[in-house]
Amino acid sequence: MVLMNARAVNRATLARQMLVERADVSGVEAVGRLVGMQGQEPKHPYVGLWSRIDGFEEAELDRAVAERDVVRATMFRGTLHLVTAADYLRFRTTVSPVLEAGLKILGDRGEGLEPAKVVAAAKKLLAKEPLTFTEVRDALQQQFPEVNERALGFCTRMLVPLVMYPTDARWSWSANARFTPAEDWLGSKLHTRAEPKELVTRYLAAFGPATPADFQTWSGLQKAKPLFDDLELETFTDEAGRTLYDVPDGPRPDPDTPAPVRFLPEFDNLLLSHAKRERIIADEHKPAVYTKNLRVKSTYTVDGLVAGLWTAEKKRGVATLTLTPFGRTLKRTLTELEREGTALLRFLEPDAKTYQVVTNG
């Protein structure tokens, strides 16, 4: 079996993540290539696409949302994702076991919960008009007064196929967004059959080469090894002796291919989609990125690996990008970070009067 060293694995992953060079594709096509983007907050996918698409403008994604080509909804790992409408319809049934299993975390709060009855009631409520989850919980509490209101809302979020209802707010969704039935919004029915093998190949095309454990981490689906064994995949060995699987036509560039600096938003799926994450971040840097309250901070990469954190703010017309490097930064790298960082600031704060990139430490 062919050995892929760490640098080869890194470059293969970056290439399919459109981070070796920006891709000349539409926003919808990019979201499809990535099989969705973590969308914990509405701004994050916009930043992720800016780093991956040549000449990306936020208005393009705004249009795709308004035209219902992409949706923001609960999907992989039971978390909010921005996905293409086609992928939502295709794979929502495939990930439904993950969402159903999510109810277990309710524990004692789920006492008295009868999911089938709650789902029926929630569907009836949401068929009338889009509602915020506060409104959903309040209405369900009137019908199920003995059940914890958070359990009622969580059951609805996990089991009822819903999409977030967009507004004209910047980044397409308000902080307290309303939800509406997915099939009504998209005018199509969900694909009724689970397609886990197809999802495996889509995952590998976006995040491979990878292991069954990596796929499980990304999707939330368990017992994936038989799926991999049933597919015609290429196999490699990494430096730790693990077997890596890949789609036959997956890009595997020369390990010495240059990787430019790139800025990744909070919760970028590149940092969440492998069981072992050394292909993108060294173990020693994980505590600075993955917080105890389950956030994943905004990061930047140098030579393909996470090398520090970034934050952006605007005060009195001045937009500032603050870099917090994990180690020494070479002068030529700092120049590249400043150039790319200034471009990011102009994307984030187009109305600012001046732009500056500063480094902590």
Side-chain angles (χ1 to χ4, degrees):
M1 202 177 296
V2 175
L3 173 69
M4 286 190 78
N5 64 26
R7 195 172 173 90
V9 173
N10 171 268
R11 292 305 193 262
T13 307
L14 292 180
R16 48 200 86 187
Q17 284 284 310
M18 297 170 276
L19 292 169
V20 169
E21 58 180 349
R22 284 182 166 91
D24 183 16
V25 297
S26 69
V28 176
E29 185 178 343
V31 173
R33 278 199 199 182
L34 298 168
V35 210
M37 305 179 74
Q38 179 95 358
Q40 212 81 350
E41 294 173 11
K43 178 171 72 174
H44 300 153
Y46 283 81
V47 177
L49 290 176
W50 178 85
S51 285
R52 290 171 165 95
I53 296 177
D54 187 25
F56 174 73
E57 296 180 357
E58 67 177 88
E60 181 193 346
L61 187 54
D62 292 342
R63 285 194 300 273
V65 170
E67 293 170 2
R68 311 187 189 198
D69 292 327
V70 295
V71 296
R72 189 166 163 234
T74 301
M75 279 290 280
F76 310 111
R77 304 184 296 278
T79 58
L80 285 170
H81 275 68
L82 186 78
V83 295
T84 66
D87 281 347
Y88 184 87
L89 293 168
R90 183 73 175 169
F91 295 120
R92 173 59 174 73
T93 298
T94 303
V95 301
S96 61
V98 179
L99 308 182
E100 292 163 7
L103 295 184
K104 295 175 184 176
I105 70 170
L106 289 171
D108 292 343
R109 289 183 300 168
E111 186 176 348
L113 181 70
E114 296 182 73
K117 290 184 179 179
V118 173
V119 166
K123 284 182 175 178
K124 193 172 181 179
L125 284 169
L126 286 154
K128 296 176 184 176
E129 61 179 330
L131 298 171
T132 68
F133 259 90
T134 299
E135 292 168 334
V136 171
R137 288 195 300 264
D138 290 348
L140 289 174
Q141 186 81 86
Q142 293 179 22
Q143 297 184 52
F144 306 97
E146 304 302 318
V147 182
N148 180 286
E149 66 167 9
R150 292 283 171 181
L152 293 169
F154 190 69
C155 179
T156 302
R157 187 184 294 271
M158 292 292 109
L159 302 189
V160 182
L162 302 172
V163 299
M164 279 190 170
Y165 192 87
T167 69
D168 59 1
R170 193 179 183 199
W171 317 121
S172 290
W173 288 277
S174 59
N176 190 23
R178 295 181 293 165
F179 286 76
T180 195
E183 292 182 334
D184 294 348
W185 180 252
L186 296 174
S188 296
K189 295 292 184 182
L190 299 180
H191 186 64
T192 56
R193 189 175 66 246
E195 302 288 355
K197 290 181 185 178
E198 183 181 342
L199 193 59
V200 166
T201 60
R202 290 287 301 282
Y203 166 77
L204 291 174
F207 295 96
T211 67
D214 292 329
F215 171 77
Q216 291 173 187
T217 297
W218 169 77
S219 66
L221 292 166
Q222 300 303 300
K223 300 179 181 178
K225 181 65 162 60
L227 298 174
F228 280 64
D229 291 340
D230 284 347
L231 291 163
E232 294 185 9
L233 300 171
E234 300 276 351
T235 54
F236 305 89
T237 301
D238 70 7
E239 291 177 332
R242 292 184 293 256
T243 298
L244 299 176
Y245 298 80
D246 202 7
V247 287
D249 58 351
R252 291 181 284 274
D254 188 300
D256 291 328
T257 300
V261 301
R262 287 290 184 259
F263 288 90
L264 300 175
E266 290 183 62
F267 296 104
D268 194 279
N269 262 350
L270 182 56
L271 279 80
L272 287 166
S273 300
H274 300 91
K276 300 290 185 180
R277 294 164 183 170
E278 66 270 17
R279 72 178 63 203
I280 189 66
I281 183 170
D283 286 344
E284 66 196 90
H285 301 321
K286 286 181 181 178
V289 174
Y290 303 92
T291 70
K292 291 181 180 178
N293 62 353
L294 303 181
R295 292 196 73 84
V296 181
K297 293 182 179 179
S298 301
T299 59
Y300 62 85
T301 61
V302 174
D303 194 25
L305 294 171
V306 170
L309 309 174
W310 66 271
T311 59
E313 65 175 355
K314 185 177 76 170
K315 288 184 177 178
R316 301 184 187 90
V318 179
T320 303
L321 186 77
T322 302
L323 308 179
T324 304
F326 293 150
R328 180 171 165 265
T329 305
L330 297 175
K331 188 173 181 180
R332 67 173 178 272
T333 302
L334 187 58
T335 299
E336 190 180 358
L337 284 166
E338 289 174 347
R339 183 174 61 247
E340 181 80 357
T342 301
L344 173 61
L345 276 178
R346 291 182 182 280
F347 173 75
L348 291 172
E349 304 292 351
D351 297 330
K353 294 183 178 66
T354 56
Y355 301 89
Q356 61 182 15
V357 178
V358 301
T359 303
N360 277 335

